[in-house]
Short mmCIF file of all heavy atoms in Angstrom, two decimals:
data_model
loop_
_atom_site.label_atom_id
_atom_site.label_comp_id
_atom_site.label_asym_id
_atom_site.label_seq_id
_atom_site.Cartn_x
_atom_site.Cartn_y
_atom_site.Cartn_z
N ARG A 1 199.76 94.29 87.99
CA ARG A 1 200.00 95.09 89.20
C ARG A 1 201.34 94.70 89.83
O ARG A 1 201.41 94.35 91.01
CB ARG A 1 198.87 94.90 90.20
CG ARG A 1 197.55 95.36 89.65
CD ARG A 1 196.48 95.28 90.72
NE ARG A 1 195.18 95.60 90.21
CZ ARG A 1 194.70 96.84 90.17
NH1 ARG A 1 195.43 97.83 90.59
NH2 ARG A 1 193.49 97.05 89.71
N ALA A 2 202.38 94.79 89.05
CA ALA A 2 203.71 94.37 89.50
C ALA A 2 204.17 95.20 90.70
O ALA A 2 204.76 94.65 91.64
CB ALA A 2 204.71 94.49 88.36
N ARG A 3 203.93 96.49 90.68
CA ARG A 3 204.39 97.35 91.78
C ARG A 3 203.77 96.93 93.10
O ARG A 3 204.47 96.77 94.11
CB ARG A 3 204.05 98.80 91.48
CG ARG A 3 204.48 99.75 92.58
CD ARG A 3 204.11 101.16 92.27
NE ARG A 3 204.69 101.51 90.99
CZ ARG A 3 204.66 102.72 90.48
NH1 ARG A 3 204.09 103.70 91.13
NH2 ARG A 3 205.19 102.96 89.31
N THR A 4 202.47 96.72 93.10
CA THR A 4 201.77 96.33 94.33
C THR A 4 202.22 94.95 94.78
O THR A 4 202.51 94.75 95.97
CB THR A 4 200.25 96.35 94.10
OG1 THR A 4 199.88 97.66 93.67
CG2 THR A 4 199.49 95.98 95.35
N ALA A 5 202.27 94.02 93.85
CA ALA A 5 202.68 92.64 94.20
C ALA A 5 204.11 92.61 94.70
O ALA A 5 204.42 91.94 95.70
CB ALA A 5 202.52 91.73 92.99
N TRP A 6 205.00 93.34 94.04
CA TRP A 6 206.40 93.34 94.45
C TRP A 6 206.59 93.99 95.81
O TRP A 6 207.36 93.50 96.65
CB TRP A 6 207.28 94.04 93.41
CG TRP A 6 208.72 93.90 93.76
CD1 TRP A 6 209.54 92.86 93.48
CD2 TRP A 6 209.50 94.83 94.50
NE1 TRP A 6 210.79 93.09 94.00
CE2 TRP A 6 210.79 94.29 94.63
CE3 TRP A 6 209.23 96.07 95.06
CZ2 TRP A 6 211.82 94.94 95.29
CZ3 TRP A 6 210.25 96.72 95.74
CH2 TRP A 6 211.52 96.17 95.84
N THR A 7 205.87 95.06 96.07
CA THR A 7 205.98 95.73 97.37
C THR A 7 205.51 94.81 98.48
O THR A 7 206.16 94.71 99.54
CB THR A 7 205.17 97.04 97.38
OG1 THR A 7 205.66 97.86 96.31
CG2 THR A 7 205.31 97.77 98.69
N ALA A 8 204.41 94.11 98.26
CA ALA A 8 203.92 93.16 99.25
C ALA A 8 204.93 92.03 99.45
O ALA A 8 205.21 91.63 100.59
CB ALA A 8 202.56 92.60 98.83
N LEU A 9 205.47 91.53 98.36
CA LEU A 9 206.46 90.45 98.44
C LEU A 9 207.72 90.92 99.16
O LEU A 9 208.25 90.22 100.03
CB LEU A 9 206.81 89.96 97.04
CG LEU A 9 207.84 88.84 96.94
CD1 LEU A 9 207.33 87.58 97.64
CD2 LEU A 9 208.16 88.55 95.48
N ALA A 10 208.20 92.10 98.84
CA ALA A 10 209.41 92.63 99.49
C ALA A 10 209.19 92.84 100.98
O ALA A 10 210.07 92.54 101.80
CB ALA A 10 209.82 93.95 98.83
N THR A 11 208.02 93.32 101.35
CA THR A 11 207.70 93.51 102.77
C THR A 11 207.64 92.17 103.49
O THR A 11 208.17 92.03 104.60
CB THR A 11 206.37 94.26 102.91
OG1 THR A 11 206.48 95.51 102.22
CG2 THR A 11 206.02 94.51 104.37
N ALA A 12 207.03 91.18 102.86
CA ALA A 12 206.96 89.84 103.46
C ALA A 12 208.35 89.23 103.61
O ALA A 12 208.67 88.64 104.65
CB ALA A 12 206.07 88.93 102.61
N VAL A 13 209.19 89.40 102.60
CA VAL A 13 210.56 88.86 102.68
C VAL A 13 211.32 89.55 103.80
O VAL A 13 212.05 88.89 104.56
CB VAL A 13 211.29 89.02 101.32
CG1 VAL A 13 212.78 88.76 101.46
CG2 VAL A 13 210.68 88.07 100.30
N LEU A 14 211.18 90.86 103.94
CA LEU A 14 211.84 91.56 105.04
C LEU A 14 211.39 91.01 106.38
O LEU A 14 212.23 90.67 107.24
CB LEU A 14 211.56 93.06 104.98
CG LEU A 14 212.02 93.86 106.22
CD1 LEU A 14 213.53 93.78 106.40
CD2 LEU A 14 211.54 95.29 106.14
N LEU A 15 210.10 90.88 106.58
CA LEU A 15 209.59 90.39 107.86
C LEU A 15 210.04 88.96 108.13
O LEU A 15 210.43 88.62 109.25
CB LEU A 15 208.07 90.52 107.91
CG LEU A 15 207.55 91.96 107.89
CD1 LEU A 15 206.03 91.98 107.81
CD2 LEU A 15 208.04 92.74 109.10
N LEU A 16 209.99 88.12 107.10
CA LEU A 16 210.44 86.73 107.28
C LEU A 16 211.94 86.64 107.51
O LEU A 16 212.41 85.74 108.21
CB LEU A 16 210.03 85.89 106.07
CG LEU A 16 208.53 85.62 105.94
CD1 LEU A 16 208.22 84.95 104.59
CD2 LEU A 16 208.03 84.77 107.10
N SER A 17 212.70 87.55 106.95
CA SER A 17 214.16 87.51 107.13
C SER A 17 214.56 87.86 108.56
O SER A 17 215.67 87.53 108.99
CB SER A 17 214.84 88.48 106.16
OG SER A 17 214.72 89.83 106.59
N LEU A 18 213.68 88.48 109.28
CA LEU A 18 213.98 88.83 110.67
C LEU A 18 213.79 87.64 111.63
O LEU A 18 214.38 87.62 112.70
CB LEU A 18 213.11 90.00 111.12
CG LEU A 18 213.32 91.30 110.36
CD1 LEU A 18 212.32 92.35 110.84
CD2 LEU A 18 214.74 91.80 110.48
N LEU A 19 212.98 86.66 111.25
CA LEU A 19 212.71 85.53 112.13
C LEU A 19 213.98 84.77 112.54
O LEU A 19 214.16 84.49 113.73
CB LEU A 19 211.68 84.59 111.50
CG LEU A 19 210.28 85.17 111.33
CD1 LEU A 19 209.37 84.17 110.64
CD2 LEU A 19 209.71 85.61 112.66
N PRO A 20 214.87 84.42 111.62
CA PRO A 20 216.07 83.69 112.03
C PRO A 20 216.98 84.49 112.97
O PRO A 20 217.71 83.90 113.77
CB PRO A 20 216.80 83.39 110.72
CG PRO A 20 215.78 83.51 109.67
CD PRO A 20 214.78 84.50 110.16
N VAL A 21 216.91 85.79 112.88
CA VAL A 21 217.73 86.63 113.77
C VAL A 21 217.39 86.31 115.22
O VAL A 21 218.27 86.21 116.08
CB VAL A 21 217.50 88.13 113.47
CG1 VAL A 21 218.16 89.01 114.53
CG2 VAL A 21 218.02 88.47 112.08
N PHE A 22 216.11 86.13 115.49
CA PHE A 22 215.69 85.87 116.86
C PHE A 22 215.81 84.40 117.26
O PHE A 22 215.69 84.07 118.43
CB PHE A 22 214.26 86.40 117.06
CG PHE A 22 214.19 87.88 116.87
CD1 PHE A 22 213.64 88.42 115.72
CD2 PHE A 22 214.73 88.74 117.80
CE1 PHE A 22 213.60 89.78 115.52
CE2 PHE A 22 214.70 90.10 117.62
CZ PHE A 22 214.13 90.63 116.47
N ALA A 23 216.06 83.53 116.31
CA ALA A 23 216.26 82.11 116.61
C ALA A 23 217.70 81.80 116.99
O ALA A 23 217.98 80.73 117.51
CB ALA A 23 215.85 81.26 115.41
N GLU A 24 218.60 82.73 116.70
CA GLU A 24 220.02 82.53 116.99
C GLU A 24 220.36 83.00 118.40
O GLU A 24 219.70 83.88 118.95
CB GLU A 24 220.88 83.33 115.99
CG GLU A 24 220.69 82.93 114.56
CD GLU A 24 221.37 81.62 114.22
OE1 GLU A 24 222.33 81.23 114.90
OE2 GLU A 24 220.92 80.98 113.26
#
């Protein structure tokens, strides 16, 4: 289930990438 796993991973990476924006 690469498509499902990758979509979940990509969404998590996007959300986590936003955290440092608010720490600056």
Side-chain angles (χ1 to χ4, degrees):
R1 298 186 185 271
R3 180 181 303 187
T4 303
W6 186 84
T7 303
L9 180 63
T11 303
V13 167
L14 170 63
L15 294 174
L16 290 172
S17 77
L18 298 176
L19 294 177
V21 171
F22 297 105
E24 299 285 336

